[in-house]
Amino acid sequence: MVSGNLFHCRRHSWPPEEYISRATLQLFDLDDSAPPEHAWRRRLNSHANILKEFSVTFREAIKMARLGIRLWSYIREEASHGRKAPIDPFTRESCKPSASQGVPLGGMGSGSISRGFRGEFRQWQIIPGICEASPVMANQFSIFISREGSNKRYASVLAPGQHEGLGRYDGNGISSWGWNLSGQHSTYHALFPRAWTIYDGEPDPDLKREQSSDSSFVYTLVNTGRERAKVSLLFTWANSIGGVSHLSGDHVNEPFVGEDGVSGVLLHHKTAKGNPPVTFAVAACETQNVNVTVLPTFGLSEGSFRTAKDMWSTMVEDGQFDRENFVVGPSTPSSAGKAICAAVSASAWVEPHGKCTIAFGLAWSSPKVKFTKGSSYHRRYTKFYGTSEGAALNLVHDALKNYRRWEEDIDKWQAPILKDERLPEWYKFTLFNELYFLAAAGTVWIDSPLPDEKMRSYPRTATQVEMEKVTISEGAGDFQGGTAGPYSALPGPNDSDGSEEEDALNSLPNTPFLDQHNCEDDVGRFLYLEGVEYIMWCTYDVHFYASFALLLLFPKIELSIQRDFAKAVLSEDGRKVKFLADGSSGIRKVRGAVPHDLGTHDPWHEMNAYNIHDTSRWKDLNPKFVLQVYRDFSATGDLAFGVDVWPSVRAAMEYMEQFDRDEDGLIENDGFPDQTYDAWTVHGVSAYCGCLWLAALQAAAAMAVQLGDQDFAEWCKATFIRAKKAFEEKLWNGSYFNYDSGTSSNSKSIQADQLAGQWYTASSGLPPLFEDCKIRSTLQKIYDFNVMKVRGGRMGAVNGMHPDGRVDETCMQSREIWTGVTYGVAATMILAGMEEQAFVTALGIFTAGWSEEGYGYWFQTPEGWTIDGHFRSLIYMRPLSIWGMQYALSLPRAIMDAPRINIMDRINAAPVTMRIPRNERGIRRVTPETGCCQKSSLLTYLLFFSFVII
C-alpha cells in the first residue's frame, strides 16, 4: 500500500561511513561482521543528558488533590503488607533517568538487563515487577594489549569516561581500573535485537575491534600494525540482580569447564524477600587460538581475599589467570555487606594484518517466577532446559555454539523491510528498535498448567455462593461440566503460600473452555507489563495499540492473551475494592466487563489491579476486546479460536447495551474519564468511545455471520445503523468529529485518536464506518492541527487541539503527545491512502524521541511527552503500535484476499424494536449488585460445522 512517492521522506539517514572510516568498515565487511546499513547510531562519547519529567500544573494539582491523598494512603497500606502499589507517582528512583539506554539483553519471559549505548549494564528486571535502574559498574568488558618486540601496552575498560557510581568504591575497588577510553572514535549501532560497537583504534591505534551482541558478545579483532599483538579481553560480573542485592549475602561463585570449549563461572545468587534464586553463567569459548581462564571470586573493597585492584593488576601483568582456578570448586558464601564478583579472560595472539574472533556469553536462569501474593510458576523455557541450576550452563553453551545461525535467522527476518526502498530509513530501524519493550519492560512466560490442577477461588458471601451454584449448574451441559462463572481462574499455579485472601481453595470442575493445553500449538501463558512505572500485567486498553506487534510476530502468544481475557469476561470477583478517584467502593471484577488488566500481585487470579476508576463502567474496554478478537480471527483464520471466544464476545457486547441511555443504539459516557484517557473527562457521546462502539458492532456482526449466529448478526446491524446515524448527527461538524456531545469548553476539541475504531475496521478488512470523504477530512484536520501546529510537526500528534489552533489544556492528558497514539493515527492514515501525512506524523515521534536533536528517549520510549519534551512514564507498552503501521503497509493475505463484499449487506437488519437476542451465556446488564449468567447454546455452531464438513 506504500506508493513510490515516499522517497522525499528518506531523511534522518546515518550511513555507517559518517561514523566509521571506510577503511575500517571494509576490514569488518570481509566476514559480514560489520554493522548494518540501516541502524540507530551514537558515538560513545555522546552526552547522556538527564531526562526531564513532566509536572502537573497548579490547576491540575488542585483538581487531583483528593485522588492524590487517597493514592498516597493506598500506597502506604500496600507497603505495610510488603507489596508495591501498581501506580506510585510519589517514589522516585535514586538513579535519575538519562539518555543512555541501548538494546536490552534477555528473552521474552526470562527477565532482562538493559545495556546502555556506552556499555553499562542497567535497568535490571530479573524479578517480575521489580526494576532496578542503577547500573552495576563492576559489570564491564576490558581490554589488555601488548605487542611482541615492543614496549607498547594498553589496558582500559571498554566504557568511556568516569561513569556514575565509581565514587562509591574505595581504592581497592573498580575505581582502580583503567577508565581510559575516550569514545571519540568508537560508535554504537543498534538494530534490535542486535547491537554493534566499533572501537576504531581505541585504545590501541593499530587494533580495530568490533563487538556484536544479542545472545553473545562476539569480538572481531583486526591487527593493522606491524607487530604481533597479544590481546586479552576481560568480562567481569558481580553476583547481583541490581540495586543493592549484591550486599545481601550468601552468594556463591563456582568455576566450570563445559562442553565444546565453553568455560567460565556460575554465580549463584540468593535473592532477598523469599524470591526464587538466580544463577548467572559468564563464559567464553576456547578455541585453538583462544585461551580462556577465570578468576572465580574477587571483592570490591579492602578485606577481600582478592580485590578488584588485585585482579586488574594480574591482567595488566599477565593477561590471564591461573588455569588451576577451574578446580577450586564453589566459593565460600559471601558475607552480608560484602560483594563478590567473577572474571573471565579470553586471550589470543593476532598476527600483523590478521584477524581473530573471541566470543563471550552471558546467561541466567531463574526457573521459578513468584508473585507477591504467593502464586509461583515455572517459566516457559524450563519446558526445554529443565529447572535445575545447571540450566544456566546449558543456556550459555547453546548461545555460544548457535549464535551464528541465530544471527542469520535474524537477518532473514529483517531483510524484507530493510531492503524495501519505498520506506524511510528512520522508520525501518525504529520499527525494529521499538521492539526493545518486549525484552526490557518486564515479561512473564509460563508453561500451561496441567489439566488436573485445582482452580482457585476466594471467600464469598452466601449470596455469591448461591449465584455460583446457579452459574455452574446452568453451564454444566455446555462444555462437559466446565464453569465459566464467578471466580473461575485461568492458569493454576505450581504452588501457593496462601495469604489471608486465599485460604479457601475449592475443587471446582475444570473447564476445557479456552484451555490451551487442549491445543496442539500450546504456547503457554504470557504477561507483559504496561510499563516499568505502571506495574499491571497486560493492561488491555493499552494492549489495543501494542498488540499489532504480537499479532505480526508472535500470533500464537497474541491469541493466548485474547483467550485469557475471553475467559476473564465470563468471570466475577466479588471482593470489595475502593476506587481512588472518588472514594466509592465496588467489586473487583464484574461479570461481562472486560478487565482493565490481568492483575499485579497475583495475575490471572486477582485481576483489575488498577483501582483509580471503576473500569467496569469504562466504555472502551469491551469494544476493544471485540475489535481485537475479530482482527485476530480474520488475520489468522483460526476458526477454533473464533468459536472458543465467541461466548465472551457476545457477553461483552450485551454488557455494553446498558450504557445506551436513550436507546439510539449509541453508548454514552458518564461524565468522568471512563476510558484509556483516565484524566480526560467525557460527557455524553464521545468521538473516541462512540467510534470504537460502531466498529465493535460491525466486527461482532461480521463474526456472527461467519460463526452462524444470524440473530445476533441482525441485532448488531440494526443497532449499528441507528448508532451511526446518532453518532454523525451529534458529533460531525463538517470537517471532523467533536470530542464529545457535551457543552464543556473542550467539547469541540480535535482529538487525535477519534478514529481508533476506523483504524481497526480497516485493519480487519471491514467496510469503512463513514464515507471516505469524512475519514480523510478528519485525518487531514488532525494532521493540520494536532501534528503540524506543534513545533512544525516535529513532536507527534498532541492528544487534544482546539479548533482555533490552541492546545487543549483541559487536563494533563489532553495536552500531552502520546507516542503510541501517534503511531496509531499514522497507521489509520496509511489505511486511508494518506501515506505522506502518515510518515510525517510518525516522524515527529522519531525526531523528538530517537534522533540526536531530540530529548533522549531511545530504548525507553515513554507513554507521552508535553510540547516542551517533558516525559511521563518511560519504557511504556503503547509505542509498540508502530507495528500497526507495518500491519497497514502489509495486510495479511487472509484479509487482502478476502471477498470484496460488504459483510453488512449480507445481514437482514432486525426491527428497531427488537432487543438484543438472548444468548444463553450472554449478559445484558451486569453490575456489582446483579448478575445475569445463562447457558450458551452450541446448536448454531454445530449446524455451522456440519455445513462446513458437508
Side-chain angles (χ1 to χ4, degrees):
M1 292 187 64
V2 182
S3 57
N5 62 358
L6 293 178
F7 283 102
H8 70 279
C9 292
R10 300 186 74 246
R11 57 181 183 268
H12 292 278
S13 173
W14 298 276
E17 53 268 23
E18 291 186 8
Y19 286 76
I20 315 163
S21 68
R22 186 174 295 276
T24 299
L25 277 175
Q26 289 174 345
L27 291 173
F28 296 115
D29 266 338
L30 294 176
D31 60 358
D32 297 324
S33 60
E37 179 183 357
H38 305 295
W40 181 90
R41 313 185 200 278
R42 285 294 180 278
R43 296 196 188 278
L44 263 62
N45 66 345
S46 297
H47 179 61
N49 57 291
I50 300 298
L51 305 180
K52 296 180 180 179
E53 190 169 6
F54 91 108
S55 59
V56 297
T57 65
F58 178 76
R59 185 181 66 176
E60 290 166 350
I62 295 298
K63 189 185 290 186
M64 295 189 293
R66 292 178 180 175
L67 167 61
I69 293 170
R70 295 188 192 102
L71 181 57
W72 170 255
S73 176
Y74 170 68
I75 291 168
R76 295 184 62 183
E77 180 185 355
E78 287 293 284
S80 69
H81 295 292
R83 299 190 293 263
K84 181 177 175 62
I87 300 175
D88 181 2
F90 304 107
T91 303
R92 287 289 175 265
E93 295 284 347
S94 57
C95 174
K96 293 184 178 180
S98 64
S100 59
Q101 296 289 73
V103 172
L105 310 173
M108 291 169 59
S110 59
S112 68
I113 306 167
S114 289
R115 193 170 187 224
F117 72 86
R118 297 186 299 180
E120 68 275 18
F121 294 86
R122 59 194 312 142
Q123 210 80 32
W124 298 67
Q125 287 212 79
I126 305 298
I127 299 174
I130 298 177
C131 181
E132 298 287 356
S134 299
V136 176
M137 294 306 298
N139 298 348
Q140 296 290 344
F141 284 97
S142 303
I143 192 166
F144 304 83
I145 306 167
S146 61
R147 291 193 173 268
E148 194 173 53
S150 171
N151 293 325
K152 294 178 182 178
R153 284 179 175 267
Y154 304 91
S156 179
V157 178
L158 293 178
Q162 291 291 316
H163 280 257
E164 53 189 298
L166 292 184
R168 293 179 296 178
Y169 303 101
D170 62 29
N172 292 289
I174 63 175
S175 59
S176 64
W177 296 356
W179 300 85
N180 305 316
L181 196 78
S182 73
Q184 181 179 359
H185 302 292
S186 302
T187 54
Y188 180 85
H189 312 255
L191 185 67
F192 183 87
R194 302 177 65 192
W196 298 257
T197 303
I198 303 291
Y199 304 91
D200 194 355
E202 289 191 87
D204 182 346
D206 294 325
L207 188 74
K208 316 295 183 181
R209 297 180 313 287
E210 182 209 46
Q211 181 207 60
S212 62
S213 60
D214 39 43
S215 59
S216 304
F217 303 93
V218 181
Y219 283 85
T220 302
L221 310 173
V222 181
N223 183 3
T224 60
R226 297 178 180 178
E227 305 97 355
R228 190 173 179 231
K230 182 183 180 181
V231 181
S232 297
L233 287 165
L234 178 71
F235 189 15
T236 53
W237 197 259
N239 196 324
S240 169
I241 57 170
V244 295
S245 60
H246 54 290
L247 302 176
S248 57
D250 285 335
H251 310 314
V252 174
N253 291 357
E254 177 184 9
F256 71 89
V257 177
E259 298 178 351
D260 301 316
V262 175
S263 53
V265 182
L266 296 175
L267 296 88
H268 306 289
H269 186 87
K270 183 179 180 180
T271 57
K273 299 181 181 179
N275 286 306
V278 181
T279 297
F280 291 94
V282 182
C285 192
E286 191 163 78
T287 67
Q288 185 176 357
N289 300 320
V290 178
N291 179 49
V292 176
T293 57
V294 301
L295 182 64
T297 306
F298 67 89
L300 297 177
S301 59
E302 188 176 5
S304 303
F305 174 72
R306 182 167 292 187
T307 65
K309 184 178 182 179
D310 297 333
M311 183 277 300
W312 189 265
S313 298
T314 299
M315 287 299 300
V316 170
E317 184 174 345
D318 302 329
Q320 62 186 26
F321 303 111
D322 293 336
R323 295 289 299 183
E324 290 76 13
N325 289 342
F326 280 115
V327 297
V328 300
S331 67
T332 302
S334 64
S335 303
K338 294 288 185 179
I340 60 172
C341 307
V344 177
S345 168
S347 306
W349 284 95
V350 187
E351 301 297 328
H353 307 290
K355 183 179 293 188
C356 178
T357 298
I358 296 177
F360 289 90
L362 168 67
W364 59 87
S365 177
S366 183
K368 186 176 287 188
V369 54
K370 181 180 179 182
F371 293 101
T372 310
K373 290 195 173 180
S375 294
S376 61
Y377 309 87
H378 283 129
R379 297 183 192 261
R380 175 73 173 176
Y381 73 85
T382 61
K383 183 181 180 75
F384 311 99
Y385 283 92
T387 59
S388 72
E389 293 182 352
L393 193 157
N394 294 331
L395 285 163
V396 80
H397 171 274
D398 285 0
L400 284 169
K401 302 311 292 185
N402 295 301
Y403 72 85
R404 292 190 186 278
R405 178 169 57 84
W406 295 344
E407 289 174 351
E408 290 174 0
D409 290 342
I410 292 170
D411 289 341
K412 290 176 183 177
W413 161 54
Q414 294 179 332
I417 292 172
L418 297 179
K419 293 180 179 179
D420 190 339
E421 291 297 329
R422 299 169 299 171
L423 300 175
E425 184 180 18
W426 64 264
Y427 170 80
K428 295 177 185 180
F429 58 76
T430 306
L431 178 72
F432 290 111
N433 284 337
E434 287 285 15
L435 290 173
Y436 85 92
F437 184 86
L438 292 177
T443 57
V444 170
W445 193 357
I446 67 169
D447 204 13
S448 290
L450 296 175
D452 59 352
E453 286 188 303
K454 292 182 178 180
M455 291 189 175
R456 185 166 57 162
S457 67
Y458 298 91
R460 292 144 295 172
T461 65
T463 302
Q464 291 166 342
V465 170
E466 291 303 312
M467 184 196 307
E468 181 179 357
K469 289 178 181 177
V470 171
T471 304
I472 295 174
S473 173
E474 290 183 347
D478 296 343
F479 294 99
Q480 305 169 22
T483 173
Y487 309 99
S488 61
L490 282 123
N494 298 124
D495 53 69
S496 171
D497 292 347
S499 68
E500 65 276 7
E501 294 178 317
E502 303 170 0
D503 294 335
L505 294 176
N506 297 301
S507 299
L508 297 178
N510 288 305
T511 171
F513 171 57
L514 302 179
D515 277 348
Q516 289 189 342
H517 53 253
N518 291 334
C519 302
E520 292 181 1
D521 56 352
D522 173 22
V523 294
R525 304 280 194 237
F526 184 79
L527 300 170
Y528 68 139
L529 287 174
E530 180 178 341
V532 297
E533 296 179 37
Y534 299 152
I535 309 171
M536 294 165 283
W537 297 106
C538 294
T539 301
Y540 200 72
D541 56 308
V542 185
H543 179 68
F544 174 80
Y545 298 84
S547 58
F548 283 93
L550 291 178
L551 178 60
L552 276 171
L553 303 175
F554 306 100
K556 292 181 181 179
I557 290 180
E558 166 62 10
L559 295 187
S560 168
I561 292 174
Q562 299 300 354
R563 288 175 184 272
D564 283 350
F565 274 92
K567 195 165 187 179
V569 168
L570 302 177
S571 71
E572 184 160 306
D573 184 342
R575 287 170 294 169
K576 293 294 183 181
V577 174
K578 182 177 181 179
F579 302 114
L580 304 179
D582 58 6
S584 64
S585 296
I587 68 173
R588 179 172 291 277
K589 168 65 178 68
V590 176
R591 180 175 167 82
V594 173
H596 172 274
D597 54 79
L598 292 178
T600 292
H601 301 305
D602 195 8
W604 294 297
H605 301 290
E606 186 180 271
M607 293 173 282
N608 281 335
Y610 178 92
N611 62 346
I612 293 179
H613 298 290
D614 180 358
T615 58
S616 70
R617 296 175 59 200
W618 276 20
K619 309 307 183 296
D620 63 336
L621 288 169
N622 282 39
K624 284 176 175 176
F625 169 71
V626 175
L627 289 171
Q628 288 182 72
V629 164
Y630 184 75
R631 177 205 57 190
D632 297 350
F633 175 61
S634 61
T636 64
D638 191 330
L639 186 61
F641 167 75
V643 171
D644 280 351
V645 301
W646 179 243
S648 300
V649 170
R650 285 203 53 158
M653 293 297 291
E654 293 165 10
Y655 181 87
M656 293 302 293
E657 194 192 18
Q658 64 184 291
F659 301 119
D660 179 9
R661 315 293 187 191
D662 54 7
E663 298 189 353
D664 61 356
L666 195 59
I667 60 172
E668 283 84 37
N669 293 81
D670 283 332
F672 75 100
D674 49 358
Q675 24 74 43
T676 193
Y677 299 89
D678 58 352
W680 200 356
T681 299
V682 192
H683 300 277
V685 174
S686 76
Y688 181 67
C689 295
C691 187
L692 289 171
W693 174 241
L694 289 177
L697 285 168
Q698 183 169 244
M703 195 167 181
V705 168
Q706 294 174 67
L707 295 178
D709 195 342
Q710 192 64 31
D711 288 345
F712 190 72
E714 291 178 5
W715 177 85
C716 288
K717 178 176 181 178
T719 306
F720 174 84
I721 293 171
R722 293 186 294 124
K724 178 182 176 181
K725 181 175 183 294
F727 183 86
E728 293 188 329
E729 288 178 350
K730 294 180 179 180
L731 297 181
W732 180 249
N733 62 22
S735 59
Y736 66 95
F737 296 98
N738 291 334
Y739 174 70
D740 65 25
S741 62
T743 57
S744 63
S745 60
N746 70 318
S747 288
K748 289 183 170 55
S749 284
I750 309 161
Q751 184 178 10
D753 212 5
Q754 61 185 277
L755 288 182
Q758 172 57 30
W759 173 26
Y760 261 73
T761 294
S763 297
S764 303
L766 292 170
L769 298 177
F770 316 106
E771 295 89 338
D772 286 345
C773 61
K774 290 183 177 178
I775 293 172
R776 293 177 66 90
S777 172
T778 299
L779 291 172
Q780 189 64 47
K781 192 76 173 183
I782 293 168
Y783 178 78
D784 292 339
F785 280 71
N786 301 61
V787 177
M788 299 308 296
K789 288 187 180 296
V790 180
R791 304 284 177 91
R794 300 174 65 81
M795 297 288 290
V798 70
N799 284 337
M801 178 72 78
H802 288 293
D804 61 4
R806 292 178 298 112
V807 172
D808 185 343
E809 298 188 350
T810 302
C811 66
M812 67 178 189
Q813 291 176 342
S814 64
R815 61 184 173 91
E816 286 179 328
I817 295 158
W818 282 11
T819 52
V821 167
T822 298
Y823 287 142
V825 170
T828 312
M829 290 174 173
I830 291 171
L831 291 163
M834 301 171 64
E835 295 99 337
E836 180 177 345
Q837 294 92 327
F839 280 95
V840 171
T841 297
L843 176 60
I845 299 301
F846 172 81
T847 302
W850 288 83
S851 73
E852 285 189 277
E853 64 209 66
Y855 298 102
Y857 297 132
W858 45 81
F859 300 102
Q860 52 187 333
T861 316
E863 156 76 305
W865 47 68
T866 58
I867 59 175
D868 55 3
H870 292 197
F871 75 88
R872 181 169 63 81
S873 187
L874 293 171
I875 310 182
Y876 195 75
M877 180 196 293
R878 206 182 316 249
L880 283 174
S881 61
I882 191 174
W883 282 85
M885 294 178 65
Q886 188 61 26
Y887 192 88
L889 292 167
S890 53
L891 286 173
R893 184 172 297 277
I895 293 175
M896 293 292 289
D897 293 348
R900 300 290 94 185
I901 301 174
N902 190 326
I903 192 74
M904 301 299 270
D905 292 341
R906 298 167 55 189
I907 306 170
N908 295 320
V912 175
T913 56
M914 177 183 175
R915 305 303 300 168
I916 190 167
R918 303 265 35 93
N919 177 279
E920 295 176 357
R921 193 177 285 272
I923 299 171
R924 179 169 178 264
R925 292 182 65 90
V926 179
T927 66
E929 291 76 32
T930 64
C932 179
C933 178
Q934 303 176 10
K935 290 190 296 181
S936 173
S937 171
L938 291 181
L939 178 60
T940 304
Y941 305 147
L942 293 174
L943 290 173
F944 176 74
F945 287 135
S946 299
F947 172 76
V948 172
I949 293 170
I950 293 172

